Amino acid sequence: RRGVVLLFVDFFDVEGSLACWRKLGALVGHKRRVLVAANKCDLLPNDVSRARALSWVVRRCKETVPYLRDNLKETDVQLVSCRSGQGIGDLLQDARDAAARARGDVFVCGAANCGKSSF
């Protein structure tokens, strides 16, 4: 099926959240767009640079999941908080737009306790 994958990760355990997705490419198919939502960013201290945090998440994703090494852009990753709602509106809009371009659905996935149900 066509569509886009919305992959939730826990900001404070990116590698652990992605451990079960190491073979993501085999699961979602070649060249499927993946959006990553790094949840729990509301728990970051105020003095942490959002740009640096975002770059760090992108690096961790690319280092942990081989499929993302070649297929993930920094614009595909967003810092969100399902608890406070921070960044959720933008994430929803990006997911809808990407799914519309692919003429498909949005497939929400992620490890346990990373925010899928709260989303």
Side-chain angles (χ1 to χ4, degrees), residues 22 24-25 29-34 58-74 76:
R22 292 193 198 283
L24 183 65
H30 183 65
K31 297 286 184 184
R32 182 168 317 240
R33 184 152 180 219
V34 176
V58 171
R59 276 195 321 275
R60 301 306 319 146
C61 288
K62 288 183 174 190
E63 290 170 5
T64 307
V65 180
Y67 177 80
L68 296 178
R69 225 169 268 146
D70 300 323
N71 298 298
L72 187 69
K73 297 176 279 198
E74 194 157 312
D76 293 334

Side-chain angles (χ1 to χ4, degrees), residues 46-113:
N46 291 332
D47 61 342
V48 171
S49 162
R50 297 287 185 206
R52 283 188 68 197
L54 186 68
S55 294
W56 179 82
V57 172
V58 171
R59 276 195 321 275
R60 301 306 319 146
C61 288
K62 288 183 174 190
E63 290 170 5
T64 307
V65 180
Y67 177 80
L68 296 178
R69 225 169 268 146
D70 300 323
N71 298 298
L72 187 69
K73 297 176 279 198
E74 194 157 312
T75 56
D76 293 334
V77 179
Q78 292 193 27
L79 302 178
V80 301
S81 170
C82 289
R83 186 176 70 169
S84 71
Q86 178 183 350
I88 295 296
D90 291 338
L91 178 64
L92 277 171
Q93 191 60 51
D94 286 353
R96 285 184 188 137
D97 292 347
R101 280 191 299 277
R103 294 190 175 125
D105 298 314
V106 177
F107 302 100
V108 178
C109 57
N113 298 320

